[in-house]
Amino acid sequence: MDCITHPMVEAYIEKLIVQKEPLYREMEKYASDNHVPIIQKASLRLIETLLIGHDIHDIVEIGTAIGYSSLNFCRILEGRCRITTFERNEKRYKTALDFIARSSYNEKIDVVFTDAAEGLDLGDHTYDMAFIDAAKGQYRYFFDRIFPHIRRGGLIISDNIFFRGQVCEDTQLNVTRRNRTIYRRMNDYLSYLMKQEDEFYSTLVPIGDGMAITYKK
C-alpha cells in the first residue's frame, strides 16, 4: 500500500512500533506476498490509541480483507469487544475466517460475506465505532448508512482517503481516467465531512494514505 508520508518518516515510525505475536506477523507477510491491502502500522497505532481513549467496545467494519485490523482491534482491547465486519471477496473472506479461527478472539468477530455497497443492513444495532476501508467510491454511501447506528460520542474512521495522493490533485485531468470517479466521489465525501459541524465533527489526518476521523456529537 502506497503512503503519502515521507518514506523515511514512515520507516522510522514503524521501527518504533513493537512487533506483535507470530500470527500478526504471518498475516503481514501473507498480505505482502499476495498483494492484499491491510492497514498500515502507523495508521493502526493511531486507531488503537483512539480505541483505548474513547471507551469503544462495539465496532462495525466495512472491508475485512484478511481480518488483520479486526484482530488488532481485539488485541488492543484485550478481547473486551464485539466486531461485525463485512467482506465481499470470497477468497479474502475465507482467509480471514482461517486467521481469526487461529486467534484468541474467534468468538469476538463476526465476518459477514456480502457486498456492503449493494446493501448494508445493520438492523437496530448501535455501535461505538465504525471503520471504513473498502470501495473508495462508496464511502459516502457507507457513511450515510452507518451514521444513524453510531452512538453519541462515537467515531467513524475512514481509511485511505487520499488514494495514493490522487484525491489531492487540483483537477481530475491529472488523475488516471479509470480513477476519476473515485477522485470526484472522494472529494465530495471529504468536503461533506469537513463542512458539516452540527451533527458531527471531522478532521483529516495525513497518515498512511490519509485518514478521516469523525466524531458524532
Side-chain angles (χ1 to χ4, degrees):
M1 179 67 71
D2 293 332
C3 249
I4 59 169
T5 51
H6 194 287
M8 182 176 67
V9 174
E10 197 73 18
Y12 177 77
I13 294 173
E14 290 194 5
K15 183 175 65 175
L16 293 177
I17 295 175
V18 177
Q19 289 296 309
K20 308 178 190 73
E21 302 93 288
L23 178 64
Y24 298 92
R25 296 198 297 272
E26 181 185 342
M27 295 178 77
E28 291 165 5
K29 185 177 187 306
Y30 177 94
S32 177
D33 292 346
N34 293 275
H35 308 289
V36 177
I38 59 174
I39 188 169
Q40 296 176 32
K41 292 180 181 178
S43 301
L44 176 61
R45 183 76 177 194
L46 174 57
I47 296 177
E48 289 175 348
T49 305
L50 294 172
L51 288 173
I52 295 171
H54 283 80
D55 192 29
I56 291 171
H57 300 285
D58 210 335
I59 301 169
V60 59
E61 175 187 46
I62 310 299
T64 312
I66 60 173
Y68 182 75
S69 51
S70 288
L71 281 173
N72 274 285
F73 297 162
C74 284
R75 174 186 56 79
I76 199 67
L77 292 170
E78 298 179 332
R80 296 188 297 272
C81 59
R82 184 71 200 177
I83 299 176
T84 303
T85 178
F86 295 84
E87 176 56 50
R88 68 179 183 179
N89 181 290
E90 186 173 6
K91 182 177 180 180
R92 293 180 182 177
Y93 164 76
K94 291 180 178 178
T95 303
L97 291 179
D98 178 63
F99 278 125
I100 292 169
R102 294 167 52 197
S103 75
S104 304
Y105 308 113
N106 188 38
E107 301 300 320
K108 302 294 183 178
I109 304 173
D110 180 22
V111 186
V112 181
F113 177 47
T114 190
D115 188 346
E118 294 182 355
L120 185 59
D121 184 7
L122 300 178
D124 58 358
H125 202 93
T126 300
Y127 297 91
D128 302 315
M129 189 189 88
F131 180 55
I132 303 174
D133 186 13
K136 302 300 174 280
Q138 301 293 332
Y139 272 32
R140 177 64 189 273
Y141 172 88
F142 297 141
F143 183 94
D144 288 346
R145 278 147 188 80
I146 290 171
F147 187 79
H149 297 272
I150 298 296
R151 66 164 170 83
R152 292 180 182 178
L155 301 174
I156 298 178
I157 299 177
S158 309
D159 200 22
N160 299 324
I161 56 172
F162 295 147
F163 199 62
R164 301 186 291 275
Q166 292 189 46
V167 168
C168 306
E169 292 285 354
D170 291 334
T171 170
Q172 69 173 5
L173 298 178
N174 294 334
V175 178
T176 54
R177 185 177 298 275
R178 66 176 181 172
N179 291 331
R180 289 178 182 175
T181 298
I182 292 176
Y183 172 88
R184 292 192 301 271
R185 290 184 178 180
M186 187 62 80
N187 268 285
D188 289 344
Y189 174 60
L190 298 181
S191 177
Y192 168 72
L193 291 185
M194 296 299 283
K195 288 179 180 178
Q196 298 292 328
E197 295 187 1
D198 293 332
E199 295 184 275
F200 57 85
Y201 191 86
S202 301
T203 188
L204 309 185
V205 184
I207 189 172
D209 194 23
M211 181 183 294
I213 300 175
T214 299
Y215 171 83
K216 183 171 183 177
K217 293 184 175 181

